[in-house]
Amino acid sequence: MKDTDVQEFALAYAKGLVSAIPVIGGLTVELLNFAIPNQRQERIETLLNILASRVFNISEQELKQKFQSTDFIDIFEDVLLQSVRATSQERLEYLASVLEKGLKEEDFDRIQSKRLLEILEKINDTEVLLLQYHALSQYEAEKLRDFMNIHGRIFDNDDLQKKAMFDHYLDNLITLGLIGPCDCEPKFSSNRQYIATDDPICATQLAYMLLQLIDLKFDADFVGTPINALDVSRGLLSTTQQLKNQIEYTKNNTVREFEKDMKQGLNTFNNELERKFKRISRGLS
């Protein structure tokens, strides 16, 4: 029996077990048989239609050469895998942009693009927009306001749950090295998000590379500094060590002060005893 036959048999067996589950089982099998495969096929078709509309000016011979190259095939496979999980037209547009660059650019960097694709997979569509927002010029208030008006829902954090999720999105972008504090004085600071250092957040160089790959506009007037986890841990250790040193200094200083007070007290007591002893001695004589 071929491997494909075994896989098909195992899948059919699993579907049979699932279908035995009341109500939910039948609905799940329907999804496995029809909805999910159809959705995946539709997403791939949409991706390829977007791509075709962008590369119509490339000759068929050039396209064949690209599609036969190992570098493009490698990127194409990664993009297809992400496209079947894409849930928005925007995400498919981003992925089509990657393939477009792979077909059009002679100096297309496969290794770099693969890593950027991996990063793209780790951020959702809302985080992509937040990233683009932090890559826009801080000195063009109208541009920022227009962006916020178009994508206002992502900035709606008027309750605790929305704010918690909004902060989580920012944390994820920071963790991936896509945004970080930038050394600048924002003219429109009310339109910027801030972190604990009170520095405005800007897109990093890595973020600009990702936005360029997926063909999203940015200004790059300032570049944020990635917050390295190791540096943060070192900073925390440094802060902890400073606290320990402060505690040790306070303890030692307290001991010294106590010893000093004790010596002064003993000296005073001894002097008083000596004076009393001298008075008693004179009285006896």
Side-chain angles (χ1 to χ4, degrees):
M1 183 178 291
K2 298 179 181 179
D3 289 343
T4 53
D5 294 335
V6 173
Q7 291 173 359
E8 290 177 2
F9 176 79
L11 181 59
Y13 181 72
K15 288 179 180 178
L17 293 177
V18 170
S19 63
I21 301 173
V23 184
I24 297 297
L27 295 174
T28 302
V29 170
E30 186 175 348
L31 278 176
L32 292 173
N33 284 333
F34 302 105
I36 293 177
N38 288 343
Q39 284 181 358
R40 288 179 175 178
Q41 183 176 343
E42 288 172 3
R43 290 165 187 166
I44 292 175
E45 288 177 358
T46 301
L47 171 73
L48 296 179
N49 282 327
I50 296 170
L51 180 62
S53 68
R54 297 182 183 183
V55 297
F56 62 89
N57 56 342
I58 301 178
S59 70
E60 184 176 347
Q61 183 61 33
E62 288 178 307
L63 287 176
K64 283 183 178 180
Q65 289 178 353
K66 285 287 186 178
F67 270 86
Q68 290 172 356
S69 69
T70 55
D71 283 359
F72 182 78
I73 291 173
D74 191 19
I75 291 292
F76 189 69
E77 288 176 348
D78 288 351
V79 168
L80 285 185
L81 287 173
Q82 288 197 34
S83 69
V84 297
R85 293 190 296 271
T87 57
S88 68
Q89 177 73 17
E90 290 78 13
R91 179 67 57 152
L92 293 173
E93 296 275 355
Y94 304 154
L95 295 172
S97 296
V98 178
L99 294 179
E100 179 185 2
K101 287 179 170 57
L103 291 172
K104 288 183 176 181
E105 297 178 1
E106 291 298 328
D107 58 347
F108 184 76
D109 192 322
R110 175 185 63 85
I111 296 176
Q112 176 178 294
S113 299
K114 280 178 69 69
R115 178 50 57 90
L116 292 172
L117 270 171
E118 290 174 7
I119 296 173
L120 178 63
E121 191 174 19
K122 294 177 181 178
I123 61 178
N124 60 34
D125 289 350
T126 298
E127 289 167 333
V128 171
L129 292 175
L130 279 175
L131 183 61
Q132 185 184 18
Y133 172 76
H134 286 99
L136 296 177
S137 174
Q138 299 183 58
Y139 298 105
E140 297 186 34
E142 185 176 352
K143 182 183 293 186
L144 292 172
R145 280 196 296 267
D146 288 344
F147 189 92
M148 294 183 74
N149 288 335
I150 295 172
H151 307 290
R153 61 177 181 79
I154 69 174
F155 299 98
D156 181 14
N157 54 1
D158 54 356
D159 62 47
L160 292 177
Q161 291 184 351
K162 290 180 180 179
K163 185 179 185 307
M165 188 54 65
F166 183 84
D167 290 342
H168 173 70
Y169 292 152
L170 288 181
D171 288 342
N172 189 40
L173 294 176
I174 290 173
T175 301
L176 292 171
L178 297 173
I179 60 175
C182 53
D183 183 17
C184 56
E185 295 294 334
K187 187 175 180 181
F188 306 103
S189 58
S190 61
N191 287 329
R192 284 283 169 180
Q193 303 301 322
Y194 287 80
I195 58 176
T197 60
D198 290 331
D199 292 325
I201 292 177
C202 301
T204 64
Q205 186 60 50
L206 183 66
Y208 293 130
M209 293 164 64
L210 176 59
L211 292 173
Q212 184 176 27
L213 181 67
I214 62 176
D215 204 27
L216 283 183
K217 294 180 180 179
F218 58 88
D219 295 313
D221 54 352
F222 289 102
V223 180
T225 303
I227 301 177
N228 187 288
L230 182 58
D231 291 341
V232 172
S233 65
R234 285 172 178 166
L236 290 174
L237 287 174
S238 176
T239 303
T240 303
Q241 189 60 49
Q242 289 175 18
L243 182 59
K244 287 181 178 179
N245 292 342
Q246 185 177 356
I247 292 172
E248 189 67 25
Y249 172 79
T250 303
K251 182 178 70 174
N252 292 337
N253 191 52
T254 302
V255 171
R256 285 193 297 269
E257 290 295 327
F258 177 75
E259 290 175 347
K260 182 180 178 181
D261 292 341
M262 285 292 292
K263 287 180 181 179
Q264 290 178 349
L266 287 172
N267 288 336
T268 302
F269 180 72
N270 288 333
N271 291 336
E272 187 65 27
L273 281 178
E274 188 175 350
R275 284 195 295 270
K276 287 183 179 181
F277 181 73
K278 286 180 180 180
R279 286 198 297 270
I280 292 171
S281 296
R282 285 196 297 268
L284 290 175
S285 62

